[in-house]
Amino acid sequence: MTTDLLQIELRKGSSSRIQEVDFNNLPFGKHFSDHMFVADFVDGQWQNLQIVPFDNFTLSPALSSLHYGQAIFEGMKAYKNEAGEVLLFRAIDNFRRMNESAARMCMATLPEEVFMGGLEALLRVDADWVPSQPGSSLYIRPYMFATDTFLGVAPSKTYKFVIFTCPVGTYYAKPPKLKVETEYIRSAPGGVGFAKCAGNYAGSLYPTLLAQQAGYDQLIWTDALTHQYIEESGTMNIMFMIDGKLVTPAVSDSILRGVTRDSIIQIAKSWGVTVEERKVSVDEVIQGIENGHLTEAFGAGTAVVVSPYSLIGYNGHDYLLPEPTDESFSRKVYHYLSDLRTGRIDDPFGWVTKV
């Protein structure tokens, strides 16, 4: 899209920090690029659009988002093709989902030209930060928070929208071990599970810590009412290969509509793989592991892309999962998505855009 009509003030930093980063050894979310895009919602409109050096904010102790939780975010990635051009993957879908989150949290929504225009302008300024090493990418974090300074439970009238980026490598060093959570919940019907709001992640930290203390890496979240049905895994959507079919919990108001999840489903269908989006019970999964009908379990999300699991713990017993092979669906779809996002293969879906 063209962003020529947007008035974005550019204030570049005096020097770059890029020389401080080892692009062959990138931890996730530790190194931040030189600049960020910021905009303010004041008097009913988005204004003060700027690209400025990445730096701290000065905030009031009475900032309403710190007290009442009006804060949302997205997660996206940019890549480089062999020609060194910067590519975005399904960015418009992240824009739409951010506005869904904003509406649910009673926050200001974003015009497409502000979100996409600010994003593209920022990536052009910090294009050198997009890694070209295999398995690496530029993680993009758009987020918004309320900025009214008063103590009172009501929607803020002002907001700040920010985009910053960081070059990243692999999220998990090895396939994670998961524990089925049967006491705590991530979300409930009628809640905000489908929104990417900060509180969802804060609420997950304690039960995740308990699982880690027990020797697991992450949780499988189950439904709030019965704990019989699987919803998500950690901060990802979850998928299974059962009897040669791709099976995943159907999205709802308690399950995030993952962009990677949807991409995998569309790719699977294009390959002729049967896809079932439905309720998936814990018992079905455990029985599938025991009788060999379940051959793969993996997470799908922006940070990990595709993450096969090594085992699932349930009711005090660990169930080992088959190790993926070159013929495993999860491995094949991971490589296909990687090639698609970096322009190594044609894009039949129209998902990749050049900045």
Side-chain angles (χ1 to χ4, degrees), residues 267-281:
I267 291 167
K269 290 178 178 178
S270 74
W271 288 353
V273 176
T274 300
V275 177
E276 294 181 357
E277 298 180 71
R278 58 172 173 81
K279 282 190 171 184
V280 183
S281 71

Side-chain angles (χ1 to χ4, degrees), residues 165-188:
T165 66
C166 51
V168 297
T170 304
Y171 194 84
Y172 285 120
K174 58 183 180 179
K177 304 173 183 179
L178 269 67
K179 174 183 176 289
V180 177
E181 180 55 59
T182 56
E183 179 180 357
Y184 298 97
I185 66 170
R186 175 190 169 273
S187 182

Side-chain angles (χ1 to χ4, degrees), residues 252-270:
S252 66
D253 61 358
S254 61
I255 298 178
L256 188 72
R257 297 179 181 272
V259 175
T260 305
R261 173 192 181 276
D262 181 70
S263 303
I264 292 171
I265 288 172
Q266 292 196 49
I267 291 167
K269 290 178 178 178
S270 74

Side-chain angles (χ1 to χ4, degrees), residues 17-27 31-33 129 167:
R17 291 173 285 102
I18 198 167
Q19 301 302 326
E20 302 171 9
V21 179
D22 179 3
F23 279 80
N24 294 309
N25 182 27
L26 287 171
H31 300 295
F32 303 111
S33 309
W129 284 84

